[in-house]
């Protein structure tokens, strides 16, 4: 086993999106800052309604998937297929835009804390134009296991821990995403396998933890994409207050990426086609 070291730190930048929702963006803050197959990671977290109340009114997507993980709060998704999904504490919405979806994502609360993440996962060329799909995943349908002082909630992918294979709520054969929310107990040391073929990062959102490689301990940066080097295992050591972090890994697609706002394709011509299709109402046809 080879422990993965820290390769690059991408601190999240404050920005706003939708109708003025305040977010912290790490991956995707610029089009050159990505980790194939992931395009973007936004962290939203506020107790101030003015930071989230405007939500994300009706807008299109084509060519990739969005994964929204709500830690705290209540958001309503509605799309052109007639899907309506209530995203609540601990739930996940997995939306496959494919050839096209038009949806809205609106807060259903006027006060209190809204906290969570939205991750954009690219699709390979062969899947970009497949029919749109949508899944509302309830918290109780997300596998959770404990291992060596850590609690791991496995939203996507497969992890083999102590000889037992655990499969998350979603699997994808092309990009093989692993998406886990890991809570590390204070001072606990936990190792998890992350296959060599996958690009991987850790996003620390609470507390502190070290990444252990041999004799070295490197503190992970808070609210940052801590991108990992090659290897097939990660080892974490929780700080005095423990830590909460996301493990995000996936198989790189290795194709050209051309993005224009909510459309992510392989060529400029395909982006122009997406714009024409959207303008003429054929994005979702
Ligand atoms: Mn959206």
């Amino acid at each position: 086993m080879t422990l993965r070291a820290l390769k690059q730190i991408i601190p999240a930048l404050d920005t706003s999106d939708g109708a003025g929702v305040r977010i912290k963006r790490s991956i995707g803050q610029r089009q050159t800052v990505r980790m194939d197959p992931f395009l973007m990671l936004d962290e939203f977290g506020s107790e101030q309604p003015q930071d989230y109340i405007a939500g994300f009114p009706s807008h299109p997507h084509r060519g990739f998937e969005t994964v929204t993980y709500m830690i705290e709060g209540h958001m309503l998704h509605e799309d052109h297929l007639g899907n309506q999904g209530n995203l609540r504490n601990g739930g996940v919405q997995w939306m496959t835009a494919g050839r096209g979806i038009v949806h809205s994502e609106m807060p259903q609360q006027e006060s209190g804390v809204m906290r969570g993440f939205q991750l954009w996962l690219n699709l390979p060329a062969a899947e970009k134009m497949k029919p749109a799909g949508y899944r509302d995943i309830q918290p109780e349908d997300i596998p959770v296991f404990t291992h060596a002082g850590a609690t791991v909630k496995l939203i996507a992918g497969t992890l083999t821990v102590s000889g037992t294979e655990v499969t998350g709520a979603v699997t994808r054969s092309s990009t093989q995403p692993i998406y886990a929310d890991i809570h590390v107990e204070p001072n606990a040391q936990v190792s998890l396998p992350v296959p060599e073929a996958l690009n991987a990062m850790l996003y620390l959102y609470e507390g502190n933890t070290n990444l252990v490689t041999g004799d070295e301990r490197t503190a992970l940066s808070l609210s940052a994409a801590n991108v990992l080097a090659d290897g097939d295992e990660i080892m974490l050591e929780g700080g005095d207050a423990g830590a909460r972090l996301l493990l995000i890994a996936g198989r790189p697609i290795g194709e050209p990426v051309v993005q224009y706002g909510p459309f992510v394709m392989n060529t400029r011509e395909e982006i122009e086609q997406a714009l024409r299709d959207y303008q003429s109402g054929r994005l979702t046809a």
Side-chain angles (χ1 to χ4, degrees):
M1 302 291 271
T2 308
L3 290 171
R4 286 178 181 253
L6 187 58
K7 185 168 81 175
Q8 188 192 1
I9 299 168
I10 304 167
L13 300 179
D14 289 323
T15 183
S16 76
D17 207 341
V21 179
R22 288 170 60 99
I23 49 182
K24 288 180 177 173
R25 182 167 292 167
S26 50
I27 297 289
Q29 56 191 240
R30 292 192 310 282
Q31 295 209 354
T32 48
V33 182
R34 296 191 179 112
M35 188 188 79
D36 192 8
F38 300 99
L39 301 161
M40 197 180 86
L41 178 64
D42 287 347
E43 174 184 7
F44 48 92
S46 181
E47 347 182 281
Q48 308 297 328
Q50 67 267 25
D51 290 345
Y52 59 75
I53 203 75
F56 300 87
S58 185
H59 60 277
H61 294 287
R62 173 178 276 183
F64 61 103
E65 304 188 89
T66 70
V67 185
T68 310
Y69 173 36
M70 186 70 91
I71 291 175
E72 205 174 339
H74 184 186
M75 190 103 92
L76 179 71
H77 157 104
E78 289 181 290
D79 64 38
H80 78 278
L81 299 167
N83 292 308
Q84 244 202 13
N86 267 311
L87 193 54
R88 289 175 186 274
N89 300 359
V92 169
Q93 178 209 288
W94 197 292
M95 202 265 306
T96 305
R99 66 162 290 129
I101 199 160
V102 176
H103 75 161
S104 62
E105 302 156 287
M106 299 301 290
Q108 299 298 299
Q109 60 188 59
E110 289 172 1
S111 62
V113 178
M114 172 84 83
R115 190 173 187 204
F117 299 92
Q118 188 170 82
L119 177 67
W120 287 17
L121 170 60
N122 204 1
L123 286 168
E127 296 178 42
K128 281 188 179 293
M129 294 298 277
K130 71 181 187 182
Y134 167 81
R135 258 188 77 191
D136 214 12
I137 304 164
Q138 301 305 317
E140 58 272 23
D141 296 327
I142 302 173
V144 178
F145 63 90
T146 55
H147 170 60
T151 303
V152 180
K153 184 169 166 181
L154 193 55
I155 296 165
T158 298
L159 288 175
T160 302
V161 177
S162 312
T164 304
E165 193 177 270
V166 184
T167 298
V170 173
T171 57
R172 288 286 181 267
S173 55
S174 53
T175 47
Q176 298 174 20
I178 294 174
Y179 190 3
D181 186 6
I182 304 172
H183 297 190
V184 185
E185 300 286 322
N187 308 307
Q189 199 173 64
V190 57
S191 68
L192 291 166
V194 180
E196 184 92 56
L198 309 186
N199 284 338
M201 57 173 260
L202 295 164
Y203 191 94
L204 177 69
Y205 66 92
E206 214 175 284
N208 54 72
T209 183
N210 286 324
L211 184 70
V212 182
T213 45
D215 296 333
E216 283 192 42
R217 286 169 162 68
T218 313
L220 293 184
S221 293
L222 187 69
S223 287
N226 294 267
V227 179
L228 304 180
D230 291 344
D232 56 10
E233 188 179 13
I234 56 165
M235 188 175 285
L236 299 167
E237 193 177 65
D240 288 341
R244 300 174 72 171
L245 67 160
L246 305 176
L247 163 63
I248 294 170
R251 179 183 277 275
I253 295 171
E255 294 174 358
V257 177
V258 182
Q259 175 173 4
Y260 181 79
F263 306 123
V264 183
M265 303 301 289
N266 297 108
T267 67
R268 231 186 96 174
E269 290 69 30
E270 290 167 343
I271 289 293
E272 286 162 3
Q273 186 64 50
L275 285 163
R276 280 195 300 273
D277 288 351
Y278 181 52
Q279 281 153 10
S280 63
R282 280 182 291 120
L283 189 82
T284 57

